[in-house]
Amino acid sequence: MLIQLDRIRDQPLEWEETLEIAPEFLADAGLVALSAPRWQGRCDFTDPGHYLSGSLDYRQTLACGRCLGEVEEAISTAVNLLIISRPGKPEEEEQQLDEQDLNVVHLVGEELDTAPIFLEQMQLNVPMKPLCREDCQGLCPHCGENRNKVSCSCESQVVDPRWAALKGLRGTLGND
């Protein structure tokens, strides 16, 4: 959605929309499915710019990082940003950001596209290593069974074949 900031002075702009986003659009291989996100908010004129406050609500389904089972979670996140617009071209040089700059968007011109903000917030809500539960036992590295559902009979401690020769030395040195 495009917001014309120069039109927001006395009256705030309020919006509510539901968007269709494909899971492939977010850069995460573990993301299986997304519900249609509901994005609503308000933009007010303040000094020195505009204040955007909103919320994002949706459900996401992820693959567990250990057992590959599906993990479904409800996401509800708040977005609060200060939008500072200035005329002219964007600055070419790099700038160092401080912690207080993380909630500030510097914009060239008076038109704010909310899509990058929306997508950034969704990406921030995808965990790096989702788990179906804290004590997930994962997949057996030998037979591939889900250890949460089946107790397999595979040997739990398999010796790396590269170290097998050293195991024979242990008995010859008398250090059992």
Side-chain angles (χ1 to χ4, degrees), residues 158-170:
V158 176
V159 177
D160 187 335
R162 296 172 291 181
W163 297 101
L166 292 176
K167 189 174 183 181
L169 287 175
R170 201 174 199 186

Side-chain angles (χ1 to χ4, degrees), residues 80-95:
N80 296 302
L81 297 171
L82 177 62
I83 313 295
I84 299 177
S85 61
R86 61 181 185 279
K89 296 187 321 188
E91 295 178 12
E92 299 276 331
E93 64 187 60
E94 291 185 21
Q95 295 180 352

Side-chain angles (χ1 to χ4, degrees), residues 1 112-122:
M1 181 171 84
L112 173 67
D113 185 3
T114 61
I117 296 168
F118 169 79
L119 292 173
E120 177 185 58
Q121 292 302 316
M122 288 188 73

Side-chain angles (χ1 to χ4, degrees), residues 26 29 52 57 60 66 68 70 94 96 138 166 170 175:
L26 297 176
L52 182 133
D57 300 297
Q60 64 185 9
R66 292 183 187 160
L68 302 179
E70 290 191 354
E94 291 185 21
Q96 182 174 342
L166 292 176
R170 201 174 199 186
N175 295 340

